[in-house]
Amino acid sequence: AVPAPQGCGSPSDGGSSSGSESSKDSSRCSTPVLDAERHERLREKMRRRQDSGDRWFSLEFFPPRTANAAVNLISRFDRMGAGGPLFIDVTWHPAGDPGSDKETSSMIIANTAVNYCGLETILHMTCCNQTKDDITGHLQKAKRLGLKNIMALRGDPAGEEWEEEVDGFNYAVDLVKHIRNEFDDYFDICVAGYPKGHPEAESYEADLKHLKEKVLAGADFIITQLFFRSETFLKFMKDCQAIGITCPIIPGIFPIQGYHSLRQLVKLSKLEVPQEIKDVIEPIKDNDAAIRNYGIELAVSMCRELLDSGVVHGLHFYTLNREVATTEVLKRLGLWKEDPRRPLPWAVSAHPKRRVEDVRPIFWASRPKSYIYRTQEWDDFPNGRWGNSSSPAFGELKDYYLFYLKSKSPREELLKMWGEELTGEESVFEVFTCYITGEPNKNGHKVTCMPWNDDPLATETNLLKEQLEKVNRRGILTINSQPNINGKPSTDPIVGWGPSGGYVFQKAYLEFFTSSEIVTALLKVLKKYESRVNYHIVNVKGQNITNAPDLQPNAVTWGIFPGREIIQPTVVDPVSFLSWKDEAFALWIEQWAKLYEEESPSRMIIQYIHDNYYLVNLVDNDFPLENCLWQVVDDTFELLNSPQPEPSEVLR
Amino acid sequence: AVPAPQGCGSPSDGGSSSGSESSKDSSRCSTPVLDAERHERLREKMRRRQDSGDRWFSLEFFPPRTANAAVNLISRFDRMGAGGPLFIDVTWHPAGDPGSDKETSSMIIANTAVNYCGLETILHMTCCNQTKDDITGHLQKAKRLGLKNIMALRGDPAGEEWEEEVDGFNYAVDLVKHIRNEFDDYFDICVAGYPKGHPEAESYEADLKHLKEKVLAGADFIITQLFFRSETFLKFMKDCQAIGITCPIIPGIFPIQGYHSLRQLVKLSKLEVPQEIKDVIEPIKDNDAAIRNYGIELAVSMCRELLDSGVVHGLHFYTLNREVATTEVLKRLGLWKEDPRRPLPWAVSAHPKRRVEDVRPIFWASRPKSYIYRTQEWDDFPNGRWGNSSSPAFGELKDYYLFYLKSKSPREELLKMWGEELTGEESVFEVFTCYITGEPNKNGHKVTCMPWNDDPLATETNLLKEQLEKVNRRGILTINSQPNINGKPSTDPIVGWGPSGGYVFQKAYLEFFTSSEIVTALLKVLKKYESRVNYHIVNVKGQNITNAPDLQPNAVTWGIFPGREIIQPTVVDPVSFLSWKDEAFALWIEQWAKLYEEESPSRMIIQYIHDNYYLVNLVDNDFPLENCLWQVVDDTFELLNSPQPEPSEVLR
């Protein structure tokens, strides 16, 4: 009984050559596949889910009208992204300058979703009444920004008397052809399907033929217009298959969220609301909550029918930029999956250039969007090893006011948290301490964010809460930290990441601002820990004190997985620390000092800290032992409290 | 008291820029400095030792006459290399075709020392009676082979009536100038110094002037001719310094090893042996051991005087290709340092192209010279990550008979160990078992090497001895293995490597040949261990069975060090396994089967195994738990011993 060979994709399968026939260039410096999905196109992801039987959902949003609404929408992307959509899509409104650089344009919202929220994103695009050059320009820009998927639409003709232009873009199929002509296979293309037929089509059958033309022209999948009965979709799907449409067809689900939004949508889409729905809604039309609850029930039961049919694998939701109804429907369907497993300890970006990225400096742990922004011009990203980075060129801080680097909270809110009036360095210590403890400050306000951290304390940091509180109270103003971890399972809900079956590790890390007096004592204490603790200490002027060997990066988070190379996603890098330093010090001024009047004592206190404090980071290299960084800090305070040292002992 | 900035080589020291001014290309994919010396030139290493006060030694060898002598010399390089010489040098004999490709040429011996033994090496080169083109050709070849240091000599003129050639190479200084003109700063250049003056020089003073000219022309350091009294050297050194020679001057030490070799050397060097030495030697001139012991005493006391002078940091030994006397002197001086610490788990090569190399497949663990040979054409080497190597182009096996890939033992020796006559597969199992246990085979001969392993069992493998014996007896013919290690100190004498203060880890590994019957059972057993054990199973025809995800490499040895990125020096790579497979199967035939007559039963037995057995490797990914690979093997044997399985259970 000789075992039969099993393929497994081996290149030498069945052959006896040494495999030296292919290029050797491809043999090194290539990409690990920690998370296969990160490397797949949307259509491949869809195929993989279909093959594995995993059901999925996607979410549609429209561009917001104001900058504030944009900030809110991006927070919503982060929150709804946590439920695990396969993709989101952003609609295109020709009247709203959708391809511009405005923070509210379709293009920029989609850019933010892909790059900063790490979401697979489809950008809608319409072609009606637009020149070929305009359209090509939009597509080139989308590609440049890292967008990989286009929903190709005709769009509504301007004016009533629309006539076909010869050689113009009259139908979505023209746009599909154009994308394939000009961009080959770069984009995944989605087109719209009309379960009841397009309102302007000659007939349902004629519309099906148009749909087939769009697919033949190069569309990869279809998302349908909304509908009210599952039979409508299932019949449509059968009819599509009957005329030879084989690509995925995704039903568009519209949970009714209110009387007016329903009426408006119906008017636009020229659909008829079934009598049985009207009968329910009309009597409760002024009760928003009742309508929404009914909408949720209706959507859930229709979705169940669709999924039970066996031919539907994914559901597309028209969210109307709202969260509650869609999230509720998804939760009831069991499709909302807040997966505690993360592919890497930090949130990955979905830009194709960043597919291989698997190492980042720890400094931006609480500001991932800022890190992505400051590295957006990089042509390639570190993979496996950060390297002896003599100078990673981080983007300048001149665009500092870019909206998604600003605090999510308004000025009044920040003043309540960080103090209407500061009376000295101690009032600042107090703010840091309240942020750590979660207790209200002396005016009764909880401190839920800091200039360096827009969100409440991370779960992992909670493990260190007690010690953090103690040191912040005494002027060690912590902005980043992690405990040491010696081989916890990669599925650990708090510190785990990566595929299952692995082990994750961390070196203890502590980063803080502190006064030069404390730094002087700290440096004396650190001599005792010379071989164990690596430190970098820098002030705003860039005066830098470190014991890092040859300015090499220190890996502080890593994972060991079955059948894979080591992954070390987080490093303390001495060189990029100096870029982070600029940002970390600037945040004192930009976010905090500027809350107060010029020349006011409060502003001067922050300015004094900015000008005189040091930014310190400490790594305890002995990850299997108990974290010694608290001992280092205790020793420092003890030294400061001890009777005057000899003058010669004082560092100058 | 504000801490003063301390340089530490920070690029932004004292400045406040974000460091974005330099090129960003240099920021990634660069080199870690695990072992700083690996990246230094010889003159930098010398300087570092001088600065740190660490004393060092170097060793001179001459090229051997026969291929067998070359094999012995290379073993000597490995053994004497273990004592930690700063460099070795290989002399140049114009009459012996020193620049040729013969395995005994100076060029090829130096090449072997650098590339295969990992020794910093100086190649001597003489210029007298040679054309510029010849010399340039030799230098280009040396550079191509990875040699970085040249000892520039005049050489002995051919014939008695030597005359200076106009524009020719008349003196060593001409060669020094030529090297600097043609190769800029690529080579470190050494020149010879004559503590008693060159025999052909007009005077001692004139000779010192010639030496200064050589240094001014670009020589980096000086090695002296032998001498018999420390005063001779110390005066010479003082005289050199007096005329402005500031480069390192290394005394050449000649431990007297025998009457005849001393006489010959004295004749060649035209030196006079001091009367007090003659007085001792003449009476014992026929007693080799007595002369050698005296020579050792003499050398030790002279070396002590030199080192005690405080101006001597390193000693250069004329070994005459012998081991005992020099090793003894070095040990008595405390300079012989068998450092159990290794920069990486495998022996590194000293070729400049391989400076960054820090990952290798585990398969060649016992055949590092073969790995270096088969990858010598690579333009760059894996650094940090092996990568998803779709095809590392390993050199073909056509040059299989290259002398340093052959067994060190002669045919008769191998037959005694591996059996004059094999009677079946069991006789082969017996050979493997004796190699593991160290017990003599049934004819009373110890098995000290195997086709896959030219050396006795590694210390680390000894940890697994008992289990290995058991499985080899039953036909699991192991050729490579390592135990799992969960965070031992990097200074551990058995499994440690890399800088101190780190922690090393391993996944358990087992590689063996075995019959298709055992493979069939093994595959059934492995189903139980699917998520824990990765396997690759291949036969000589390349039929390949594996559960490796996406053909990715699996890191099986890694280390975590203070202030550094993770190092993962050893991987199980599914793709290069197929190149190793060719070599591993070929060794059955080339080293073992061919010991026997064609058509003989013994040869047919080996041929049968070669044609029908599988090469298997297993990795236990759960390194923190007890190694499960022995359980896998036990389960396999148990399954084989259990009553006949259902026919449908048998893999075909």
Side-chain angles (χ1 to χ4, degrees):
Chain A
V2 173
Q6 295 169 12
C8 300
S10 156
S12 284
D13 183 43
S16 63
S17 76
S18 71
S20 58
E21 61 284 351
S22 1
S23 147
K24 104 180 133 184
D25 291 335
S26 62
S27 73
R28 280 172 290 282
C29 285
S30 60
T31 305
V33 190
L34 185 64
D35 176 20
E37 281 220 337
R38 233 176 131 191
H39 296 266
E40 286 174 338
R41 310 177 60 127
L42 178 51
R43 63 193 184 210
E44 293 163 349
K45 291 183 187 177
M46 230 174 251
R47 176 69 54 191
R48 175 194 284 260
R49 301 286 182 107
Q50 183 170 332
D51 291 348
S52 69
D54 287 344
R55 283 151 172 193
W56 54 266
F57 68 95
S58 51
L59 303 169
E60 183 161 317
F61 299 93
F62 54 80
R65 296 232 178 92
T66 66
N68 271 348
V71 171
N72 288 338
L73 183 60
I74 292 162
S75 302
R76 182 161 295 131
F77 285 171
D78 286 339
R79 286 191 303 269
M80 295 191 81
L86 187 64
F87 62 88
I88 70 151
D89 59 333
V90 178
T91 61
W92 184 266
H93 299 275
D97 204 359
S100 75
D101 284 334
K102 282 193 307 185
E103 55 215 25
T104 54
S105 78
S106 300
M107 186 72 80
I108 296 303
I109 292 295
N111 163 54
T112 304
V114 167
N115 287 298
Y116 295 94
C117 306
L119 296 167
E120 181 77 57
T121 301
I122 303 179
L123 176 62
H124 289 220
M125 207 170 273
T126 63
C127 60
C128 187
N129 297 59
Q130 288 192 76
T131 68
K132 197 169 170 170
D133 283 354
D134 280 347
I135 290 173
T136 301
H138 291 323
L139 289 164
Q140 280 167 341
K141 184 169 182 177
K143 182 177 173 182
R144 210 165 52 241
L145 293 173
L147 291 158
K148 296 164 295 181
N149 314 291
I150 299 291
M151 173 106 175
L153 298 164
R154 188 187 73 172
D156 297 317
E160 304 241 324
E161 301 283 312
W162 174 69
E163 282 182 30
E164 288 194 21
E165 288 175 56
V166 182
D167 295 332
F169 289 93
N170 298 305
Y171 299 103
V173 68
D174 300 325
L175 180 51
V176 175
K177 283 178 186 161
H178 178 74
I179 297 173
R180 284 284 173 254
N181 278 340
E182 302 275 314
F183 294 87
D184 198 20
D185 203 34
Y186 174 79
F187 290 105
D188 276 19
I189 302 175
C190 173
V191 292
Y194 300 87
K196 288 280 201 184
H198 191 280
E200 289 170 27
E202 310 93 89
S203 66
Y204 176 76
E205 288 70 27
D207 195 49
L208 279 184
K209 271 185 205 150
H210 291 317
L211 182 57
K212 186 168 179 185
E213 279 163 26
K214 291 195 277 189
V215 174
L216 289 175
D220 296 296
F221 51 93
I222 296 160
I223 296 179
T224 76
Q225 180 56 285
L226 64 95
F227 51 89
F228 294 101
R229 292 187 184 120
S230 58
E231 308 89 78
T232 311
F233 176 82
L234 294 171
K235 174 181 182 300
F236 171 71
M237 195 160 175
K238 216 165 145 185
D239 294 338
C240 285
Q241 285 165 345
I243 65 158
I245 295 174
T246 56
C247 71
I249 304 173
I250 304 145
I253 310 297
F254 174 72
I256 297 169
Q257 306 196 45
Y259 186 73
H260 293 289
S261 62
L262 174 65
R263 262 176 57 131
Q264 202 184 352
L265 208 85
V266 163
K267 193 176 144 199
L268 278 173
S269 62
K270 301 188 172 114
L271 289 175
E272 208 175 310
V273 180
Q275 193 58 45
E276 70 269 22
I277 296 181
K278 283 187 191 159
D279 288 349
V280 179
I281 283 184
E282 283 297 336
I284 55 170
K285 68 179 178 185
D286 298 322
N287 185 339
D288 285 352
I291 290 194
R292 198 170 61 196
N293 287 340
Y294 171 66
I296 290 170
E297 289 299 337
L298 204 62
V300 168
S301 80
M302 189 173 76
C303 289
R304 285 223 174 97
E305 286 164 23
L306 290 169
L307 294 171
D308 289 349
S309 73
V311 295
V312 171
H313 304 278
L315 302 168
H316 184 72
F317 285 83
Y318 295 104
T319 67
L320 304 185
N321 285 17
R322 293 188 202 153
E323 233 169 306
V324 179
T326 301
T327 307
E328 182 63 24
V329 172
L330 287 166
K331 284 181 175 168
R332 292 213 203 160
L333 292 170
L335 291 179
W336 182 271
K337 283 168 192 155
E338 289 205 35
D339 194 346
R341 286 176 306 169
R342 302 165 292 170
L344 287 166
W346 31 262
V348 300
S349 166
H351 193 294
K353 272 202 310 192
R354 300 185 91 114
R355 263 180 209 151
V356 301
E357 181 182 28
D358 67 6
V359 194
R360 288 186 187 173
I362 195 171
F363 317 121
W364 283 268
S366 301
R367 293 176 62 78
K369 291 187 174 66
S370 168
Y371 180 77
I372 292 166
Y373 176 69
R374 292 191 68 187
T375 59
Q376 65 185 346
E377 298 301 327
W378 289 10
D379 291 328
D380 53 311
F381 288 88
N383 169 224
R385 161 162 274 164
W386 182 264
N388 189 355
S389 55
S390 44
S391 70
F394 284 86
E396 293 293 330
L397 288 169
K398 59 179 187 288
D399 292 323
Y400 197 71
Y401 302 103
L402 199 80
F403 76 104
Y404 42 79
L405 296 185
K406 281 199 287 193
S407 173
K408 275 183 283 195
S409 312
R411 180 169 178 275
E412 318 79 70
E413 202 60 46
L414 296 177
L415 279 169
K416 280 181 193 159
M417 291 195 276
W418 302 343
E420 305 275 354
E421 210 185 317
L422 303 174
T423 53
E425 289 166 82
E426 283 72 19
S427 359
V428 174
F429 301 176
E430 176 73 16
V431 174
F432 276 85
T433 309
C434 288
Y435 175 70
I436 297 292
T437 60
E439 301 292 318
N441 62 19
K442 60 177 184 237
N443 297 316
H445 296 283
K446 286 202 178 182
V447 181
T448 57
C449 67
M450 291 294 285
W452 306 269
N453 200 338
D454 218 15
D455 295 304
L457 217 55
T459 333
E460 187 193 36
T461 317
N462 260 314
L463 301 172
L464 309 172
K465 207 161 163 174
E466 224 173 285
Q467 289 103 329
L468 287 171
E469 178 188 347
K470 201 171 79 178
V471 304
N472 276 283
R473 242 180 238 298
R474 300 184 66 178
I476 296 237
L477 306 176
T478 60
I479 61 169
N480 195 357
S481 59
Q482 70 175 22
N484 57 321
I485 303 288
N486 186 15
K488 287 231 180 172
S490 59
T491 48
D492 184 280
I494 296 174
V495 298
W497 53 274
S500 62
Y503 296 91
V504 299
F505 294 81
Q506 289 179 182
K507 291 180 179 175
Y509 179 75
L510 193 60
E511 182 180 337
F512 53 86
F513 288 99
T514 202
S515 67
S516 60
E517 188 195 3
I518 292 181
V519 164
T520 302
L522 176 66
L523 277 169
K524 295 172 79 175
V525 167
L526 282 170
K527 282 185 190 151
K528 276 201 308 182
Y529 295 86
E530 186 63 30
S531 58
R532 178 162 177 182
V533 175
N534 278 111
Y535 56 86
H536 300 89
I537 302 177
V538 68
N539 66 5
V540 72
K541 292 193 282 293
Q543 293 176 321
N544 191 30
I545 312 169
T546 177
N547 68 345
D550 312 302
L551 290 181
Q552 283 192 68
N554 190 352
V556 292
T557 305
W558 65 98
I560 316 297
F561 299 98
R564 295 174 192 276
E565 295 194 76
I566 314 293
I567 313 290
Q568 54 156 27
T570 318
V571 297
V572 168
D573 172 45
V575 181
S576 53
F577 183 56
L578 299 176
S579 295
W580 165 245
K581 176 265 298 179
D582 292 341
E583 185 169 335
F585 275 102
L587 285 162
W588 280 109
I589 304 300
E590 299 301 327
Q591 290 218 9
W592 200 334
K594 289 190 176 170
L595 294 177
Y596 309 108
E597 296 293 313
E598 275 189 60
E599 310 280 327
S600 67
S602 295
R603 185 150 175 174
M604 283 163 73
I605 287 163
I606 300 296
Q607 184 76 48
Y608 175 84
I609 289 177
H610 169 270
D611 294 348
N612 292 283
Y613 273 37
Y614 282 75
L615 179 61
V616 177
N617 76 53
L618 305 175
V619 176
D620 176 5
N621 288 298
D622 273 329
F623 61 96
L625 312 181
E626 202 190 339
N627 179 355
C628 75
L629 300 181
W630 305 115
Q631 193 58 51
V632 169
V633 173
D634 282 350
D635 290 358
T636 303
F637 286 130
E638 197 177 306
L639 183 66
L640 284 167
N641 289 342
S642 65
Q644 321 93 321
E646 297 292 314
S648 66
E649 284 184 291
V650 180
L651 268 177
R652 268 165 307 139
Chain B
V2 173
Q6 296 168 13
C8 299
S10 157
S12 284
D13 183 45
S16 62
S17 76
S18 72
S20 58
E21 61 284 351
S22 359
S23 146
K24 103 180 138 189
D25 290 336
S26 63
S27 73
R28 282 171 290 281
C29 284
S30 60
T31 305
V33 190
L34 185 64
D35 176 19
E37 282 220 336
R38 232 176 132 189
H39 296 265
E40 286 175 336
R41 311 178 60 127
L42 178 50
R43 62 192 185 210
E44 292 163 350
K45 292 183 188 177
M46 232 174 249
R47 177 69 53 192
R48 175 193 284 259
R49 301 287 182 107
Q50 182 169 331
D51 291 348
S52 68
D54 287 344
R55 283 152 171 192
W56 54 267
F57 68 94
S58 51
L59 304 169
E60 183 162 316
F61 299 94
F62 55 79
R65 296 232 179 91
T66 66
N68 271 348
V71 171
N72 289 338
L73 183 60
I74 292 162
S75 302
R76 182 161 296 130
F77 286 172
D78 285 339
R79 285 191 303 272
M80 296 191 81
L86 187 64
F87 62 87
I88 70 151
D89 61 332
V90 178
T91 61
W92 183 268
H93 298 276
D97 204 359
S100 76
D101 285 333
K102 282 193 307 185
E103 57 216 23
T104 54
S105 78
S106 301
M107 186 72 80
I108 296 303
I109 291 295
N111 163 54
T112 305
V114 167
N115 288 297
Y116 296 94
C117 305
L119 297 167
E120 182 78 57
T121 302
I122 303 179
L123 176 62
H124 289 219
M125 207 171 275
T126 62
C127 60
C128 187
N129 299 61
Q130 289 193 75
T131 68
K132 195 169 171 170
D133 283 354
D134 280 348
I135 289 171
T136 302
H138 290 323
L139 289 164
Q140 279 168 340
K141 184 170 183 175
K143 182 176 174 182
R144 211 165 51 239
L145 293 173
L147 291 158
K148 296 165 293 182
N149 313 293
I150 299 291
M151 172 105 175
L153 299 163
R154 187 186 72 172
D156 297 317
E160 304 242 324
E161 300 283 314
W162 176 66
E163 281 183 30
E164 288 193 20
E165 288 177 56
V166 181
D167 294 332
F169 289 93
N170 297 306
Y171 299 103
V173 67
D174 301 324
L175 179 53
V176 175
K177 283 178 185 160
H178 178 73
I179 297 173
R180 284 285 173 252
N181 279 340
E182 303 275 315
F183 294 87
D184 199 21
D185 203 34
Y186 174 79
F187 288 105
D188 277 19
I189 302 175
C190 173
V191 292
Y194 298 88
K196 288 281 199 184
H198 191 280
E200 288 169 29
E202 310 92 271
S203 68
Y204 177 75
E205 288 70 27
D207 194 48
L208 279 183
K209 268 183 208 154
H210 291 316
L211 181 58
K212 185 168 180 186
E213 280 164 25
K214 291 195 278 188
V215 173
L216 289 176
D220 296 296
F221 52 93
I222 296 161
I223 296 179
T224 76
Q225 180 57 285
L226 64 94
F227 51 89
F228 294 101
R229 291 186 184 121
S230 58
E231 308 90 78
T232 311
F233 176 83
L234 294 172
K235 172 180 183 301
F236 171 72
M237 195 159 175
K238 215 165 146 185
D239 295 338
C240 285
Q241 284 165 345
I243 65 159
I245 295 173
T246 57
C247 70
I249 305 173
I250 304 144
I253 310 297
F254 174 71
I256 296 170
Q257 307 197 45
Y259 186 73
H260 293 288
S261 62
L262 174 65
R263 264 177 56 131
Q264 203 185 351
L265 205 86
V266 163
K267 194 176 143 201
L268 278 173
S269 62
K270 302 194 172 107
L271 289 175
E272 209 175 310
V273 178
Q275 194 56 46
E276 71 268 23
I277 296 181
K278 283 189 192 158
D279 288 347
V280 178
I281 283 184
E282 283 298 335
I284 55 171
K285 69 178 176 183
D286 298 322
N287 186 339
D288 285 352
I291 291 194
R292 199 171 60 197
N293 287 339
Y294 171 67
I296 289 170
E297 290 298 339
L298 204 63
V300 167
S301 80
M302 188 171 77
C303 290
R304 285 221 174 97
E305 286 163 24
L306 290 169
L307 294 171
D308 289 349
S309 74
V311 296
V312 171
H313 304 277
L315 302 168
H316 183 72
F317 286 84
Y318 294 104
T319 67
L320 304 185
N321 286 17
R322 293 188 202 153
E323 233 167 307
V324 180
T326 301
T327 307
E328 182 63 24
V329 172
L330 287 167
K331 283 180 177 169
R332 292 215 202 159
L333 292 170
L335 292 179
W336 182 269
K337 283 169 193 156
E338 289 206 34
D339 193 345
R341 285 175 308 168
R342 302 165 291 169
L344 287 167
W346 31 262
V348 300
S349 166
H351 193 293
K353 270 200 312 189
R354 301 186 90 113
R355 261 180 209 151
V356 300
E357 181 183 27
D358 67 6
V359 194
R360 288 186 187 173
I362 195 171
F363 317 122
W364 282 269
S366 301
R367 292 175 63 77
K369 290 187 174 67
S370 167
Y371 179 77
I372 292 167
Y373 176 70
R374 292 190 68 187
T375 59
Q376 64 186 347
E377 299 300 328
W378 289 10
D379 291 328
D380 54 311
F381 288 88
N383 168 224
R385 162 161 275 164
W386 182 263
N388 190 354
S389 55
S390 45
S391 71
F394 284 86
E396 293 292 329
L397 288 169
K398 59 179 187 286
D399 292 324
Y400 196 71
Y401 302 103
L402 200 81
F403 75 104
Y404 41 78
L405 297 184
K406 281 200 287 196
S407 173
K408 274 183 280 195
S409 311
R411 181 169 177 273
E412 318 81 69
E413 203 58 47
L414 297 177
L415 280 169
K416 280 181 192 157
M417 291 195 276
W418 302 344
E420 304 276 353
E421 211 184 317
L422 304 173
T423 53
E425 289 166 80
E426 283 71 22
S427 358
V428 173
F429 300 178
E430 176 73 19
V431 174
F432 276 84
T433 308
C434 289
Y435 174 70
I436 296 292
T437 59
E439 300 292 317
N441 62 19
K442 60 177 187 242
N443 297 315
H445 295 283
K446 287 202 178 182
V447 181
T448 57
C449 67
M450 290 296 284
W452 305 270
N453 201 337
D454 218 15
D455 295 303
L457 217 55
T459 332
E460 188 193 38
T461 317
N462 261 316
L463 302 172
L464 309 172
K465 208 162 164 173
E466 225 172 285
Q467 289 104 327
L468 287 170
E469 178 188 346
K470 201 171 79 176
V471 303
N472 276 282
R473 243 180 238 298
R474 299 183 67 177
I476 296 237
L477 307 176
T478 59
I479 61 170
N480 195 356
S481 59
Q482 70 175 23
N484 58 320
I485 303 289
N486 186 14
K488 287 232 179 170
S490 59
T491 46
D492 184 281
I494 295 175
V495 298
W497 52 272
S500 61
Y503 297 91
V504 298
F505 294 80
Q506 290 180 181
K507 291 180 179 175
Y509 179 75
L510 192 61
E511 183 181 337
F512 53 87
F513 289 99
T514 202
S515 66
S516 60
E517 188 195 0
I518 291 179
V519 165
T520 302
L522 176 66
L523 277 169
K524 294 171 78 176
V525 167
L526 282 170
K527 282 185 190 151
K528 276 201 307 183
Y529 296 86
E530 187 63 30
S531 60
R532 179 162 177 183
V533 174
N534 278 112
Y535 56 86
H536 299 90
I537 302 177
V538 67
N539 66 5
V540 71
K541 293 192 281 293
Q543 292 175 322
N544 190 31
I545 311 169
T546 177
N547 67 345
D550 311 302
L551 291 180
Q552 283 193 70
N554 190 351
V556 292
T557 305
W558 64 99
I560 316 296
F561 301 97
R564 294 173 192 276
E565 294 194 76
I566 315 291
I567 313 289
Q568 54 155 30
T570 319
V571 296
V572 168
D573 171 46
V575 181
S576 53
F577 184 55
L578 299 176
S579 295
W580 165 245
K581 175 267 295 179
D582 293 341
E583 185 170 335
F585 275 101
L587 286 162
W588 281 108
I589 304 299
E590 299 301 328
Q591 290 218 8
W592 200 335
K594 289 188 176 170
L595 294 176
Y596 309 108
E597 295 294 313
E598 276 189 60
E599 311 281 327
S600 68
S602 296
R603 185 148 176 177
M604 284 162 72
I605 287 163
I606 301 296
Q607 184 75 48
Y608 175 85
I609 289 176
H610 169 270
D611 294 348
N612 292 285
Y613 272 36
Y614 282 75
L615 180 62
V616 177
N617 77 53
L618 305 176
V619 176
D620 176 5
N621 287 299
D622 273 330
F623 62 95
L625 312 181
E626 201 190 339
N627 178 354
C628 75
L629 300 182
W630 304 117
Q631 193 59 50
V632 169
V633 173
D634 282 350
D635 290 357
T636 303
F637 287 129
E638 198 177 307
L639 183 66
L640 284 167
N641 288 342
S642 64
Q644 321 93 319
E646 297 292 312
S648 65
E649 284 184 291
V650 181
L651 269 177
R652 265 166 309 138

